[in-house]
Amino acid sequence: MKVLRIVANIQAPDIMAAKRFYQDILGLDLMMDLGWIVTFGANTSMKVQLSVASQGGSGTPVPELSIEVDDLDAAFEAMSAAGVPIEYGPADEPWGVRRFYVRDPFDRLVNILVHKS
């Protein structure tokens, strides 16, 4: 048996708020919309990963989602322009990432990051 995919499921009373945050601000594609569930994604190959943590690093709480982007500055500007409060960062972390935290419309702590080269 081999795991093919991991999907994060977030309970949300307002699907439109999800579309605004995950599709409009972060730029994910709408992959499925059944009215009661929407799925966002990117048509790219990704590694299957599941992280388990006792802390978020650098004295931060553990984020519920981590979203890696190709341009952290653009993601930060998009969040700021949309009025989404930044809870942490942007910060250059000693383990080789640059990141910031926001909360999605459902109060989930989201880690937006880029790996530094």
Side-chain angles (χ1 to χ4, degrees):
M1 193 273 308
K2 139 170 105 167
V3 174
L4 299 177
R5 177 169 75 136
I6 296 173
V7 176
N9 296 305
I10 299 171
Q11 182 176 351
D14 181 4
I15 299 296
M16 291 309 294
K19 286 183 177 183
R20 181 175 178 270
F21 186 85
Y22 290 103
Q23 186 177 17
D24 297 345
I25 298 172
L26 282 174
L28 290 172
D29 296 325
L30 181 64
M31 308 295 278
M32 178 183 73
D33 185 346
L34 300 180
W36 58 273
I37 184 173
V38 292
T39 300
F40 304 99
N43 215 3
T44 59
S45 182
M46 298 180 200
K47 294 179 183 175
V48 173
Q49 293 182 303
L50 174 68
S51 296
V52 178
S54 62
Q55 56 127 333
S58 297
T60 66
V62 176
E64 294 173 80
L65 294 173
S66 290
I67 299 175
E68 184 177 352
V69 298
D70 64 349
D71 186 337
L72 192 78
D73 293 331
F76 183 81
E77 289 299 321
M79 288 292 171
S80 297
V84 177
I86 307 302
E87 294 215 358
Y88 173 75
D92 292 307
E93 302 293 6
W95 54 89
V97 301
R98 182 165 172 76
R99 67 183 180 157
F100 66 92
Y101 284 3
V102 295
R103 288 203 179 267
D104 77 359
F106 318 108
D107 205 34
R108 303 284 188 250
L109 189 60
V110 180
N111 174 30
I112 311 290
L113 70 117
V114 66
H115 282 91
K116 297 187 298 185
S117 304

